[in-house]
């Protein structure tokens, strides 16, 4: 259960600003499916539009990082932040963008490795080497 | 300051198991520089060897993900875990592996985007869509 | 499922120190309902009393911050810490104290904004400006 | 030290899109001071503009939550996320918006209380009460 | 649901490297039960072997800390990281190693106390005392 | 720098409720040294007293867990929460209570191991085994 009701298409249709976003999500993703996150956000159409617009700029627009790499970074952050929903939705998105089982396994290994050394470094309070300084 | 003393080369040389790791780090990285994390870990040579061996398997060995992509995933996790040292050391490593300013900026954007929606999803407690289920 | 059994009223009644806390919770909240957190804590009556006493001082006692503002701060922390139960219970509490849909949506926006810039600042390792120094 | 160089006004002036943001920050805040976060972000003018625009919408625009309450929520999230820079900058912002010492102390108490019960609830894995369900 | 399928014994048997790990888990724990974590990891037999080998070295091998103390530390970290599965599995493991109800309650108290002061210290940005410096 | 000024003994002496706490800290620890956390908290004497009283109950009072074990759990939580100050102060406290270098190294190993599997489990979204259910 969510802390707000998830809105149905019929309810969103009554909010023109939100409905326009739903139509853009569908057109952008070439799919009729709209996942629960957007149905929860749609209570505040302006916020829905702001978050979706930003997501399109960051995750969909042309850039130097391939979309699959962006999805794997998204999974890494979502994992470290313990967001169950986000891990599920972005793992599904990465698979849809072609993530192989082997890449998924390596992603897990890097996430685990980083989490381990993050914790050890913090427990040791290792000071940053001067060599890492940015001039 | 760290919670243990950082060992100098001279001190590590007196611990043969640790010194062998230092020599392998230098050979693997083709550089004489050994960063502070390993100098802090060297108090326990078995642990030093275990962590370094694992890091080589996960970050250096051949795999399906390019080394630069692995570094960017490492930065993403380190950022979400708030590890100052790790953000510095792996950003330096990513730049050494060719990360461009544009890729760095996109990495930041994805990390920030993910952190934002992670938080919103958690505050909304959005239930996982059935469509994300793995058969 | 919890890592301890949730105690029923009948079981708590047999622990006088715990039962006194349950009676105070009911009197303070003017409601017969006691949520699961307290039923899990009641195994250790001294700890139950300590936590409840502290909660009353921090969340119920007269102060400079209105109770609703305190609840929204509680939701913000619980979200960042990824505590599902706490997000649910304190969102319910905030609504019971009058949080409007508009305030809830703004709370989400601030939480998401903060999480985003927290992550970007950490990835950038921005040094604290001298202007923020407290004399 | 940051993972990118902090840009000076002279450097930003050569990036018209970034300079326009700096001018808007100064006009909006009625102050010549621009803190380091924006100087780090300015390497990517489009990202700088996107984050600043969003911050204005969320933190400055008219809304149902008073600006000071928004700042306290921001501090709460930044604390839970362990963002040193953000805690400093938003505590300074909250003080500039009138946060009293008493309000600051209560904010600390709520943040600490929430963090404590978040951890206890997670260790106990308390199931969400049905009463918290949103119809 | 997991982001990968959980493998049955029959499926693991077809991956000799993974099956050898399953046999070692059973022999080490003197139990036929293999929990879901290993069934999820078994898709990548090399990773399964690496993680299990490490876990044996850290949690099972002779050392200066009693196994029960190690489990309680594991629970503490898992709680702070918000890992539901890990809290459950390691609380079960600690109980199997003799953790009493009283020790469990004290563990909860310490975890909660630490989380609370961690948050207060971070909100206050308390500078480290020179007395804590390691020479 | 902190977000509040650290109070000197002379300033605390003018707040009788806070000064009584300082005297109790000194008597309890049999040391004249008072670390910065308490000097930051002393601005709000009631809060100082509440936190110190709780700390004494949880960390100093007789119990089933030895004081050193409690300190190691405290370090584990502080590490996972990324609290620099707390890692330093509680590592110093653990050493003062007799933590050996070997125990410290094992503590690091367990913390790192837990952080690693926490992350892998979260990325895999492993469902909790029924066997872990508490009846």
């Amino acid at each position: 259960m969510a802390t707000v009701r998830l809105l149905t298409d019929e309810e969103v249709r009554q909010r023109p600003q939100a409905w326009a976003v739903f139509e853009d999500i569908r057109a952008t993703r070439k799919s009729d499916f709209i996942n629960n996150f957007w149905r929860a956000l749609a209570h505040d159409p302006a916020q829905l539009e702001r978050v979706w617009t930003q997501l399109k700029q960051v995750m969909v627009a042309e850039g130097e990082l391939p979309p699959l790499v962006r999805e794997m970074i998204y999974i890494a952050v979502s994992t470290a932040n313990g967001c169950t929903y986000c891990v599920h939705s972005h793992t599904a998105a990465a698979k849809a963008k072609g993530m192989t089982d082997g890449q998924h396994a390596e992603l897990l290994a890097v996430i685990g490795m980083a989490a381990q050394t993050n914790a050890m470094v913090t427990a040791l309070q290792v000071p940053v080497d001067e060599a890492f300084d940015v001039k």
Side-chain angles (χ1 to χ4, degrees), chain A residues 112-128:
Chain A
M113 187 77 221
Q116 180 184 207
T117 58
N118 289 173
M120 297 181 98
V121 161
T122 300
L124 287 163
Q125 289 292 313
V126 184
V128 179

Side-chain angles (χ1 to χ4, degrees), chain A residues 8 23 50 58-59 62 68 73 80 83-84 98-99 114-115 121:
Chain A
T8 63
E23 289 191 315
R50 183 163 48 72
V58 173
M59 297 301 286
E62 279 293 298
L68 176 54
I73 293 165
C83 181
T84 288
M99 181 172 69
V121 161

Side-chain angles (χ1 to χ4, degrees), chain A residues 4-12 15 18 22 36 38-44:
Chain A
V4 298
R5 260 190 343 96
L6 302 178
L7 297 185
T8 63
D9 268 20
E10 265 156 59
E11 291 167 315
V12 175
R15 295 161 169 81
F22 269 38
N36 288 337
W38 308 110
R39 296 187 181 285
L41 268 190
H43 289 277
D44 180 345

